[in-house]
Amino acid sequence: MKKILIAGTNSGVGKTTISLGIMQALTKRNMKVQPYKVGPDYIDPSYHTFITGRHSRNLDSYMLDDEKIKYVFNDASKDADISVVEGVMGLYDGIGIDLDNCTSSYTSKLLKAPVILVINGKAMAASSAAMVLGYKELDKNVDIKGVIVNNVKTKSHYEIIKKAIETYCNIEVLGYFPPNNEFSLESRHLGLVPSVEIESLKTKFSNLADEIEKYIDIDRIIEISETEEVESKFDIKDFIEKNKLENKTIAIAYDKGFNFYYRENIELLEDLGLNIKYFSPLNDKEVPQADYIYIGGGFPEIFAKEIELNKSMRESIKKAHEKNIPIYAECGGLMYLGEKLVDQNENEYDMVGILKGTSKMTKSLRRFGYCYGIAKEDTILSNVGEVIKGHEFHHSVFDSEEECAYIMKKERDKKIVDEWEGGYSKGNTLATYLHTHFYNNLNCIEKFLGKHKNDLNKEKLLVKEEN
């Protein structure tokens, strides 16, 4: 099995650019490249998918236990020629100071994947060896097989760094990459702009791959990637068979304003027998007729004017709510279901209006990181007292007098470091800032899909009693 994990010494070291370039270079060699991202990111995986033509997967050890991560990895990789995992933050960065808590290093050990460490070589010579040696020695069970030196202008500078690292660290240096603004990707407050918004990406990434081939030894990377397979004790088949549905449809919002979904969530819905109808809250006239509605996160604040102008869509969503069709909305979906949205320029726009309240953009992050919610009441995803794990990442607040459905908690090093209330449950609608992975919360998806059935049974009983 061929697999590598590309990690950085820290965020901003160029890990994503190097990862994308390697994926594109391998793809241009006609290899089937299966991409992955450590952690909860949605945006980097959208670029992975664009380049490789295969859906990138999140390997998130907060959301998923070890066996589920290995299952996701094996299932997606089974027909691939090579798997490329992009790390998150620095190699050893996760929750708190535990090196095995949601870190890229732990993921590499779990998958038995060799690590290629990206470092910033600017203004360094032999000191680069001290840095690499620290990463090697901190956890000797992490298999750092190679180093790529980013941000180095000349080959002579690179040769000094290469000699120092290979002499003092006994780790192979696989190449370098010069600074080049041509390959920088436009960014915004939540990170890189999603791939669905960027034009001329094919040309940009093709050129990036050509440059990567000039400076980095791709042949050696392929050789290093040959490692033993991993096995998983988890299998989703039993859950699917138990909860299989027939003749049911789910409408999923998907366009440039709403596109943050874990791929496994959508595939699980498909495997459960649901017919998926994608719709655009920005462009379609109304939501498709469906038994369930799922509205993921995204950037409704960027497209608020288009949302407001599409009155027929907003009205159709509200009518679906009034008909008790289960609606689950995450983050941007929550903002969409409120009454108003106020952007960073203080412009106010009409939203759907299921929930009383206004989403207001803020100048800084309001919530960032892993957390979990304890249900205060029964919702379409959970019963009182049940826990949903996920992450929040938003530059907005929802100003509302609606009662919150969950007590949210954030832990670090086994201590509660923050607590607040969140999520709004109204009828058969649940909207929350929390992004969650269904594999972690299988009971939630089981309840969500059963909710419609339960309400129909109640309606039948009422009709029978009236007669």
Side-chain angles (χ1 to χ4, degrees):
M1 172 179 274
K2 291 184 173 64
K3 56 183 180 291
I4 55 167
L5 187 147
I6 302 171
T9 53
N10 56 278
S11 293
V13 76
K15 172 180 72 267
T16 296
T17 300
I18 298 296
S19 297
L20 296 177
I22 290 173
M23 289 178 192
Q24 184 68 80
L26 293 168
T27 301
K28 288 182 78 171
R29 292 183 175 207
N30 294 318
M31 297 184 75
K32 295 178 182 177
V33 181
Q34 177 55 52
Y36 301 89
K37 174 69 178 182
V38 178
D41 195 309
Y42 291 108
I43 299 174
D44 288 356
S46 73
Y47 288 116
H48 299 172
T49 299
F50 183 89
I51 285 172
T52 65
R54 297 170 68 97
H55 290 291
S56 185
R57 312 293 172 146
N58 292 84
L59 304 174
D60 190 330
S61 54
Y62 180 83
M63 301 275 199
L64 306 178
D65 62 32
D66 292 354
E67 297 304 315
K68 289 176 182 175
I69 285 182
K70 289 188 287 186
Y71 175 84
V72 169
F73 181 84
N74 286 340
D75 189 57
S77 294
K78 57 192 175 188
D79 63 340
D81 296 319
I82 187 170
S83 296
V84 180
V85 183
E86 180 187 348
V88 63
M89 300 184 290
L91 175 61
Y92 294 110
D93 296 326
I95 299 177
I97 64 169
D98 185 345
L99 300 183
D100 289 338
N101 195 352
C102 302
T103 60
S104 299
S105 58
Y106 181 71
T107 304
S108 74
K109 292 189 293 184
L110 186 66
L111 299 179
K112 301 177 182 177
V115 172
I116 296 174
L117 185 67
V118 179
I119 71 169
N120 184 355
K122 184 178 180 180
M124 277 205 300
S127 293
S128 60
M131 180 168 59
V132 172
L133 187 61
Y135 281 83
K136 177 182 178 180
E137 293 296 317
L138 187 61
D139 186 344
K140 294 180 180 179
N141 292 318
V142 175
D143 187 18
I144 301 177
K145 281 287 191 181
V147 172
I148 292 173
V149 187
N150 195 29
N151 206 21
V152 172
K153 291 183 179 180
T154 66
K155 187 174 182 181
S156 60
H157 182 192
Y158 163 67
E159 291 294 345
I160 293 171
I161 294 175
K162 173 180 170 68
K163 187 173 182 179
I165 292 172
E166 292 184 343
T167 298
Y168 297 113
C169 307
N170 195 30
I171 295 177
E172 186 175 356
V173 181
L174 302 169
Y176 72 105
F177 200 68
N180 192 326
N181 291 332
E182 179 187 347
F183 304 120
S184 63
L185 295 168
E186 183 186 351
S187 62
R188 64 160 59 116
H189 59 267
L190 288 180
L192 298 173
V193 175
S195 62
V196 291
E197 288 183 51
I198 293 188
E199 299 177 0
S200 304
L201 273 182
K202 286 185 178 180
T203 300
K204 176 176 281 192
F205 288 136
S206 180
N207 292 341
L208 173 60
D210 292 341
E211 290 300 301
I212 287 285
E213 289 273 14
K214 287 181 186 178
Y215 298 102
I216 296 172
D217 191 344
I218 299 299
D219 290 327
R220 184 63 183 137
I221 287 175
I222 294 172
E223 291 174 3
I224 287 172
S225 71
E226 190 65 59
T227 54
E228 63 181 298
E229 297 186 6
V230 294
E231 295 182 358
S232 171
K233 298 175 183 177
F234 173 76
D235 197 327
I236 197 71
K237 292 179 183 176
D238 289 342
F239 177 84
I240 291 170
E241 290 302 315
K242 178 184 175 184
N243 293 281
K244 199 84 171 179
L245 296 174
E246 293 182 1
N247 302 319
K248 295 295 181 184
T249 298
I250 185 165
I252 298 180
Y254 197 92
D255 58 19
K256 60 185 179 180
F258 301 88
N259 50 68
F260 292 176
Y261 298 93
Y262 290 116
R263 182 61 196 170
E264 288 79 27
N265 285 6
I266 293 176
E267 288 177 348
L268 178 57
L269 295 171
E270 289 178 322
D271 291 341
L272 286 167
L274 288 165
N275 175 33
I276 293 180
K277 294 181 179 178
Y278 291 102
F279 72 97
S280 170
L282 302 183
N283 303 315
D284 293 338
K285 290 183 178 180
E286 59 184 26
V287 66
Q289 185 174 350
D291 301 289
Y292 313 90
I293 299 173
Y294 182 16
I295 307 172
F299 298 109
E301 70 277 12
I302 303 297
F303 306 100
K305 186 63 177 178
E306 290 96 319
I307 290 172
E308 182 179 62
L309 290 173
N310 196 348
K311 187 177 180 181
S312 62
M313 173 58 76
R314 291 188 287 110
E315 289 178 341
S316 73
I317 296 281
K318 193 169 184 181
K319 286 178 182 176
H321 162 75
E322 291 167 350
K323 292 179 181 178
N324 288 323
I325 292 173
I327 302 173
Y328 174 49
E330 294 181 334
C331 203
L334 162 63
M335 298 165 71
Y336 181 57
L337 296 186
E339 293 176 303
K340 303 281 184 180
L341 187 153
V342 178
D343 68 14
Q344 289 180 318
N345 297 317
E346 299 298 321
N347 299 310
E348 184 176 275
Y349 301 94
D350 290 334
M351 295 288 115
V352 173
I354 292 174
L355 302 171
K356 294 181 180 179
T358 299
S359 296
K360 296 179 180 178
M361 300 308 298
T362 55
K363 293 181 180 180
S364 60
L365 269 171
R366 294 309 296 257
R367 297 286 175 199
F368 169 63
Y370 295 119
C371 54
Y372 60 89
I374 304 172
K376 295 169 57 182
E377 59 184 87
D378 289 350
T379 74
I380 57 171
L381 289 193
S382 52
N383 295 322
V384 174
E386 291 184 333
V387 174
I388 301 180
K389 296 177 73 174
H391 81 278
E392 290 192 13
F393 192 167
H394 51 94
H395 270 259
S396 67
V397 294
F398 188 62
D399 188 2
S400 174
E401 294 184 359
E402 299 269 14
E403 288 290 326
C404 289
Y406 293 87
I407 298 171
M408 306 301 301
K409 295 188 178 186
K410 187 173 185 176
E411 286 187 10
R412 187 181 302 126
D413 297 326
K414 299 182 180 180
K415 292 182 180 179
I416 302 295
V417 296
D418 198 4
E419 186 171 325
W420 65 99
E421 291 193 351
Y424 303 90
S425 180
K426 197 167 189 177
N428 275 0
T429 293
L430 176 65
T432 171
Y433 272 119
L434 190 72
H435 296 277
T436 191
H437 196 298
F438 291 162
Y439 277 27
N440 177 66
N441 302 295
L442 287 172
N443 58 317
C444 294
I445 194 63
E446 189 174 17
K447 192 171 193 299
F448 177 61
L449 297 179
K451 184 71 177 177
H452 184 68
K453 187 189 302 182
N454 293 339
D455 284 341
L456 286 178
N457 289 336
K458 289 179 183 177
E459 290 173 11
K460 289 177 182 177
L461 286 173
L462 288 173
V463 171
K464 188 173 181 180
E465 288 175 2
E466 288 175 359
N467 293 336

